[in-house]
Amino acid sequence: MLIGLHLGNGYGSQPGAWRMPGVDPMSYTSFDARVKQAQAAERGKFQFIFLPDGPGAVLADIGTEAPAFNLDVMMTLAAVARETRYIGLVATGSTTFNEPFNLARQFKALDVMSHGRAGWNAITSSGEDVAANYGRKIPSSEDRYGRAHEVVQLIQSLWGSWGKEAWIHNQQTGEFAKRDQILPVNLQGKFVGSRGPLYIPPSAQGQPIIFHAGGSPNAHELAGRYANAVIGAAFTIEDARNQRNAFRAAAKRYGRDPDEIKYIPGLMTTIAKDRRSALDRRIQLTGNSFPQRAGYLQQMLGIPLNPSALDQPLSQQQLNAARPSPYDPRSSHALKIAKEGWSVRDILAHGVIDYHPVIVGPGIEAADHMLEWFEAGAADGFWISPDINSDGIDAFVDEVVPILQERGLFHYDYAGKTLREHLGAPDQYGIDPRI
Ligand SMILES: Cc1cc2nc3c(=O)[nH]c(=O)nc-3n(C[C@H](O)[C@H](O)[C@H](O)COP(=O)(O)O)c2cc1C
């Protein structure tokens, strides 16, 4: 099983994390904090850290909340690379709003610096808030993915443009490199082009690993051709299994082994010694949003709720009338929690309105969730998004990882040193000749 750590703004995935006791309120600008968090994940033998990026945060709630992203993903990973030894370093880079030569150079340099641990999450961007930062509008899906295909191929060509054995650096003979093995790529497509070559020799894993995140048929086609891992989002086993199968089928269409593409959905965690302590932690963290969220919970369950009675469980009459909303895939789970007899406040503290499935409880509940999805063919691993990074990563490492190891699901130590080895991805240098 693969495990990645989501590293966004450095505080944690929940609003309010920056204000919690023990959290340095200035972590947002602290590269030391980010290094420490990556080291915590490396202690737990996570295969990678994953940094999302817009960069487009609309700062609507900046009055009370930190932006969701890192100051700069590549600078952050450079800092982390120098202070870690094994963990993979994956950052998001938009194929729509970057020139391929810039991306090729930055990711390859990171790959060399980290001795073969870099991964590029190649996404097309879909937010107008991102486009606005470049003075642009979001192009059509056809144009975004058309450009993405060209950008990935061009970047992989640039990565392979420095021959594997080209770098001689022989001080006796004075031969620095084999000139005839460092060749331009001379590619010009409809959207992008580059002469090349890139002037960076191979890394310990040859070149960076391609990740993708997206859910449309165009996303399947892109990932099916080039990606070794997909950062996913799914609320149910059925949805995750369908997504995983769609990516695997796409890989097969392009002559690849479906096992070459790993599907990794998200999991948010609040790990504490028991369910009650975990719920209380969530209430302290996000409770001030509950009156407003209760309004949305009504829509998910299709029944009116009294916002001034958050401490009451739903009555039998309410439970009988409740119907999960067909418009929100989280609704059935919300109803299941409601039927367990929790108060409205505690239902919300279970994270029933969050971006991914949420574990609020002891470590074994997270391990059970991961085992169930893994064995159902719904996931090759998970990217973990702790509520508060300063102690939530350690809680996962100490309370969940040992259970997964005892069950034979997760490795006890790194078997290799590169991200390619951690993922079991095949060797590749330059573009994949099969595609
Ligand atoms: C789990 C997940 C993570 C994503 N991370 C990012 C990100 O970090 N930055 C970004 O601009 N878009 C991100 N996206 C959005 C995708 O790039 C894509 O634009 C979006 O899913 C729309 O899909 P489509 O373009 O295939 O229609 C993410 C999507 C998913 C599902």
Side-chain angles (χ1 to χ4, degrees):
M1 181 187 285
L2 303 170
I3 302 183
L5 172 72
H6 168 213
L7 216 51
N9 64 16
Y11 295 113
S13 63
Q14 289 303 304
W18 72 273
R19 294 179 63 194
M20 288 296 275
V23 173
D24 174 1
M26 287 174 68
S27 289
Y28 180 52
T29 59
S30 170
F31 288 84
D32 290 340
R34 227 63 84 249
V35 165
K36 213 171 147 200
Q37 291 159 7
Q39 287 171 336
E42 185 166 78
R43 183 171 71 83
K45 314 298 178 191
F46 287 27
Q47 281 89 352
F48 65 94
I49 57 174
F50 160 61
L51 277 57
D53 199 21
V58 176
L59 302 177
D61 54 2
I62 193 75
T64 54
E65 280 304 329
F69 300 112
N70 271 266
L71 301 190
D72 182 278
V73 292
M74 300 310 283
M75 297 247 187
T76 304
L77 289 184
V80 169
R82 301 290 297 161
E83 303 291 335
T84 52
R85 289 186 61 194
Y86 294 96
I87 198 161
L89 311 169
V90 183
T92 299
S94 172
T95 55
T96 302
F97 297 113
N98 286 294
E99 285 298 325
F101 194 84
N102 294 353
L103 284 175
R105 181 185 184 190
Q106 289 185 318
F107 276 92
K108 187 83 184 278
L110 177 70
D111 205 28
V112 169
M113 177 195 280
S114 63
H115 306 291
R117 294 187 281 139
W120 168 37
N121 181 31
I123 54 96
T124 62
S125 303
S126 54
E128 289 295 350
D129 57 327
V130 178
N133 284 340
Y134 298 89
R136 309 243 311 264
K137 293 274 179 206
I138 286 287
S140 67
S141 177
E142 195 185 336
D143 280 354
R144 278 188 292 125
Y145 280 93
R147 191 179 203 273
H149 281 272
E150 289 187 6
V151 170
V152 176
Q153 289 180 34
L154 187 43
I155 286 177
Q156 292 194 325
S157 302
L158 286 165
W159 284 342
S161 64
W162 183 299
K164 268 188 167 168
E165 314 296 333
W167 194 22
I168 306 296
H169 52 77
N170 185 326
Q171 290 176 317
Q172 271 73 47
T173 64
E175 191 177 20
F176 187 70
K178 293 230 177 279
R179 195 188 168 127
D180 60 346
Q181 291 180 21
I182 301 172
L183 299 170
V185 299
N186 286 325
L187 281 172
Q188 181 62 55
K190 182 177 164 202
F191 298 92
V192 291
S194 177
R195 182 203 59 202
L198 198 65
Y199 41 87
I200 307 180
S203 73
Q205 64 174 354
Q207 64 190 27
I209 300 284
I210 306 282
F211 279 57
H212 180 64
S216 63
N218 281 339
H220 299 150
E221 293 302 298
L222 186 82
R225 279 185 170 98
Y226 314 108
N228 284 118
V230 171
I231 297 287
F235 288 104
T236 63
I237 285 187
E238 292 68 35
D239 183 20
R241 198 195 283 124
N242 289 340
Q243 289 193 39
R244 180 169 179 264
N245 286 341
F247 284 110
R248 290 171 65 85
K252 217 172 163 185
R253 277 199 293 284
Y254 296 104
R256 302 171 68 202
D257 179 341
D259 288 338
E260 287 179 37
I261 187 165
K262 309 294 187 195
Y263 179 72
I264 307 171
L267 181 65
M268 302 177 98
T269 52
T270 294
I271 304 295
K273 67 178 186 327
D274 54 36
R275 182 83 66 94
R276 186 66 259 162
S277 326
L279 290 170
D280 289 343
R281 178 173 157 114
R282 292 281 294 203
I283 291 167
Q284 188 186 2
L285 196 50
T286 58
N288 56 8
S289 68
F290 286 3
Q292 181 212 339
R293 287 192 182 183
Y296 186 70
L297 184 62
Q298 311 188 95
Q299 294 175 35
M300 290 169 85
L301 302 179
I303 47 167
L305 296 172
N306 179 356
S308 59
L310 292 185
D311 289 314
Q312 302 294 319
L314 272 59
S315 67
Q316 197 53 53
Q317 202 182 4
Q318 282 176 308
L319 287 173
N320 291 342
R323 297 281 175 278
S325 163
Y327 302 108
D328 191 317
R330 301 168 293 192
S331 303
S332 297
H333 177 67
L335 182 56
K336 177 177 163 276
I337 299 291
K339 284 184 172 168
E340 288 173 10
W342 301 97
S343 69
V344 174
R345 195 185 305 283
D346 284 342
I347 297 171
L348 292 166
H350 277 84
V352 297
I353 313 180
D354 230 317
Y355 299 113
H356 301 279
V358 185
I359 301 298
V360 182
I364 191 151
E365 293 187 14
D368 285 346
H369 172 99
M370 295 165 85
L371 171 70
E372 192 186 359
W373 283 45
F374 188 73
E375 292 198 330
D380 297 292
F382 299 86
W383 57 285
I384 304 299
S385 205
D387 51 359
I388 308 168
N389 285 350
S390 61
D391 61 351
I393 305 167
D394 284 331
F396 191 94
V397 168
D398 293 327
E399 305 298 330
V400 185
V401 167
I403 302 175
L404 298 172
Q405 288 169 330
E406 278 159 28
R407 290 179 179 177
L409 287 166
F410 190 59
H411 63 183
Y412 280 92
D413 208 345
Y414 298 102
K417 285 191 166 173
T418 66
L419 178 56
R420 194 174 293 281
E421 288 170 299
H422 301 338
L423 296 177
D427 283 343
Q428 185 178 336
Y429 195 64
I431 54 175
D432 185 339
R434 295 170 298 180
I435 293 159

